[in-house]
Amino acid sequence: MRRRRASRHRRAWRRKTLLGLLVAVGFALSGAAGAVAYFLPAITTAIRDTGHTIQRGAATPAASASALPGEAAAAAPDPSVGSQPFTVLLLGSDNDAKFSGSEVLTQSMILTRVDPRTRHVVMLSIPRDLYVPLSSGGSDKIDKAYLHGGANAAVATVERNFHVHIDHYAWIGLLGLVNLIDKIGGVDVVATNPVLDDFYPADLSGQNPYAFQRVAVLPGPQHMNGIEALEYVRSRHGDLRSDFGRSQRQQQVLLAIRTKAKLLGLADLPDVASAMSNDFSTDMSISQVAALLPLAGTITLQNVQQVLLLPPDVSSAFVGSQDVLMPNWELILAEVRKHFPVA
Amino acid sequence: MRRLLAVVVLLALMGAFAFGVNRFLASRRSHIPSESTISAPTETRTAVTLPGTMFISQHGDIYALAGGYFSDLRLARSGTWMQPSVIPGSDAILAVLRTDAFSDVYMIDAGGGAVHKLSHNATPGKVIQLNHWMFWPRVGADAQTVYMSYDSPKTQESYQIDFAVWQGTLAGKLAVHQVTDPFGYTGGDVDAVPLAGGGILYSKYQISSGQVYSRLAVQKDALAEPVYLTTATDDCGQPALSPDGASLAMVCTGGTGLQSTRLEVASLSGTTLGKPRTLINNCLCAAPAWAPDGSGLAYYAPADAGGHFQLWWIAGAAGATPHAAQEVTS
């Protein structure tokens, strides 16, 4: 009798425990569901826009050592975002209504080396008009590498010409940049000079993508929203330095974004992901991107070195029907070796 | 029945918990101020009472600051109102109304609010390159001579568009004589300050060895060679001359990697600039302006990395021992 009562008591206790466990699991799952719902935009973006693989060699059928200057690309170190220095090719495209799908040029190419141990960053702007052998075959302006073979070709072309190994790439479109800057509350920038342009492309309004608009960014420290920052980094007609001036301004705004990004936390990821939706892609995984966030916050401005390729590194020329910049590889590669040492 | 009720209550609690987790995460977002969260200056009283009346622009409106309180000039909004400047010996001010394709200079009665358009820079046609910009209007001590930066001459066929300083009169036409000859494709000449003895002090942009920089220059006669006060490596602009004309405040970016500025003050005698003193280093300082009695210097700068530009004040900025900067608005 006592044994039966004890057995019933044990069963009841087990049932209660099981029930308690089920309730606890239920709450844990509902909490997780709440978190997943919150992070859904970030998760969707992470799945769609991150983790793309660079197919080395796959998009380079015509590439050959003889077609390219100097020796072969540097040996590849482990491309992890850990304590080892790594190289990222930052790409920016005019993906407006003039272009269809991914058939876009890269108006901005910034080769960036990050050393997590020394917290040192080098940003080298590659002129978009640089006339180089493309990894997809033939020679053309370097901004066409992406047009002919996407990120793979852009990475391969830079690797082969500049003799560097690129661990990762990150690509952003016009609206992605505008939305990102708006989402972080704008950026504070010291405009270098009056940036005036009467032939600035009015291609984001959705009407005539070949129309012009007037732009006047006044000089000095100021707060810029996404559209104003885009006008500042994109305009080039009124600048004696043309693309060189634009490259300098692009690096400036990138650093201003970094300053604002330091204020962001994990809970901001969904907003940022939504802002850049469809206008961003990278081969970095979401965990690698997450690992970069705290690193970005620890890098001081004094440790960021900005490099531009100016004459005599390049010289103007006319090839076919287009103005191009011819590289002086001896000078350029010396500069590259200085800032992008082989691991 | 009791079990069913218990299950329903539990499910409801779990739903509430999921919602709570979701909202908790949302509450952990960074509170970076956005354009929509900026309050009008009229909603607050300043922390410091500045001498005289100061005119400022924020978010396309112009406000007068006097006795620690802001008042909205309530100008009709068909663009962005900006760059207010006082007309000496008058209650009126000049200001710029900027739209997407052009900007015009207006004279505004700061007391009554009457507005007079002084320029007509819009083109009636569809060729947008025929529109013009006019910025930084300033009136000389005679309360008649006006200087401003004007994007002329230019043609609709050329990419070249630079600001030159032009001169005119309040009573007549604004842009009558071209005063400065800008370096091409640099952005040009901006921020002209009329000098008491005639001529102007302004910021002249130049590009050399792939670098763009500004030098402060003094020019007595139209299209004459300017006398430079600062060097290319200083990269100084935004000049503000004290009421007695003896102290020059300026914003310099030389050596900052173009990511910050220095607010500097130097003595000025004719075309001789004294050794500059740095009032604020490593800041995003902008648009310095002296008090009418010369007792201090106001300027804009963000309070922190995530903040918007606020008004700051340095008492005794012209003296050897200026006070620490005080935040006027927050």
Side-chain angles (χ1 to χ4, degrees), chain A residues 187-209:
Chain A
V187 286
D188 294 335
V189 175
V190 184
T192 51
N193 59 321
V195 175
L196 306 175
D197 196 340
D198 277 1
F199 296 89
Y200 182 88
D203 46 14
L204 288 181
S205 60
Q207 293 165 354
N208 176 8

Side-chain angles (χ1 to χ4, degrees), chain A residues 70-92:
Chain A
E71 69 272 27
D78 178 22
S80 60
V81 181
S83 59
Q84 292 299 311
F86 60 93
T87 311
V88 184
L89 182 63
L90 304 174
L91 303 166

Side-chain angles (χ1 to χ4, degrees), chain A residues 162-181:
Chain A
F162 287 80
H163 302 163
V164 290
H165 171 77
I166 295 170
D167 297 310
H168 302 289
Y169 81 89
W171 173 91
I172 191 164
L174 291 182
L175 280 174
L177 181 70
V178 170
N179 292 338
L180 170 68
I181 291 173

Side-chain angles (χ1 to χ4, degrees), chain A residues 18 25 33 86 92 96 99 105 139 154 162 171 174 178 187 192 220 230 235 281 290 302 315 332 336:
Chain A
L18 193 66
V25 168
F86 60 93
D96 52 65
F99 300 93
L105 307 170
S139 290
F162 287 80
W171 173 91
L174 291 182
V178 170
V187 286
T192 51
L230 183 69
S235 170
S281 73
Q302 290 72 27
S315 54
I332 290 176
V336 169

Side-chain angles (χ1 to χ4, degrees), chain B residues 81 118 286:
Chain B
W81 286 102
L118 301 180

Side-chain angles (χ1 to χ4, degrees), chain B residues 1-293:
Chain B
M1 189 63 191
R2 276 174 57 192
R3 270 190 193 166
L4 185 67
L5 191 67
V7 168
V8 168
V9 168
L10 268 176
L11 284 176
L13 283 174
M14 283 175 193
F17 183 63
F19 182 74
V21 167
N22 189 289
R23 291 302 84 200
F24 170 76
L25 287 169
S27 73
R28 306 304 297 169
R29 278 187 292 206
S30 309
H31 296 290
I32 300 173
S34 65
E35 305 288 334
S36 58
T37 59
I38 302 170
S39 52
T42 44
E43 292 175 20
T44 55
R45 189 181 194 281
T46 60
V48 183
T49 302
L50 304 186
T53 300
M54 185 176 196
F55 294 91
I56 63 150
S57 63
Q58 177 181 299
H59 238 221
D61 288 319
I62 293 181
Y63 300 86
L65 169 61
Y69 290 96
F70 289 94
S71 56
D72 190 342
L73 265 52
R74 299 186 183 284
L75 303 171
R77 283 286 293 270
S78 52
T80 301
W81 286 102
M82 58 197 294
Q83 299 181 343
S85 69
V86 174
I87 299 174
S90 158
D91 284 338
I93 61 168
L94 291 186
V96 172
L97 180 63
R98 178 184 177 158
T99 67
D100 286 344
F102 61 90
S103 60
D104 276 308
V105 176
Y106 287 74
M107 185 161 65
I108 301 157
D109 177 354
V115 174
H116 305 284
K117 189 175 181 180
L118 301 180
S119 64
H120 302 275
N121 290 325
T123 177
K126 286 189 174 176
V127 182
I128 62 158
Q129 294 90 336
L130 293 177
N131 290 288
H132 282 282
W133 301 115
M134 242 179 214
F135 290 110
W136 301 282
R138 306 263 167 76
V139 182
D142 62 0
Q144 260 308 309
T145 311
V146 189
Y147 296 92
M148 85 293 307
S149 288
Y150 180 41
D151 62 342
S152 186
K154 65 168 186 170
T155 66
Q156 66 182 83
E157 283 82 31
S158 167
Y159 282 150
Q160 183 168 359
I161 168 170
D162 293 298
F163 285 126
V165 177
W166 284 67
Q167 180 189 339
T169 58
L170 276 183
K173 204 176 164 210
L174 267 196
V176 179
H177 303 294
Q178 183 179 346
V179 179
T180 67
D181 187 14
F183 291 110
Y185 292 97
T186 62
D189 303 332
V190 303
D191 249 329
V193 177
L195 296 170
I200 53 167
L201 166 64
Y202 66 101
S203 178
K204 193 173 191 70
Y205 283 88
Q206 190 168 355
I207 291 175
S208 178
S209 303
Q211 295 300 316
V212 62
Y213 51 82
S214 160
R215 283 188 291 173
L216 294 183
V218 168
Q219 195 173 311
K220 291 290 179 192
D221 302 309
L223 303 175
E225 188 63 26
V227 177
Y228 292 105
L229 303 180
T230 56
T231 66
T233 47
D234 295 332
D235 193 10
C236 296
Q238 305 197 9
L241 201 55
S242 62
D244 63 2
S247 295
L248 179 65
M250 53 200 165
V251 173
C252 303
T253 54
T256 65
L258 299 176
Q259 297 302 130
S260 68
T261 61
R262 296 183 306 275
L263 180 61
E264 296 186 345
V265 169
S267 64
L268 181 67
S269 174
T271 54
T272 306
L273 191 70
K275 190 169 182 278
R277 288 179 291 111
T278 302
L279 294 178
I280 309 285
N281 209 353
N282 194 24
C283 61
L284 283 169
C285 300
W290 290 94
D293 59 1

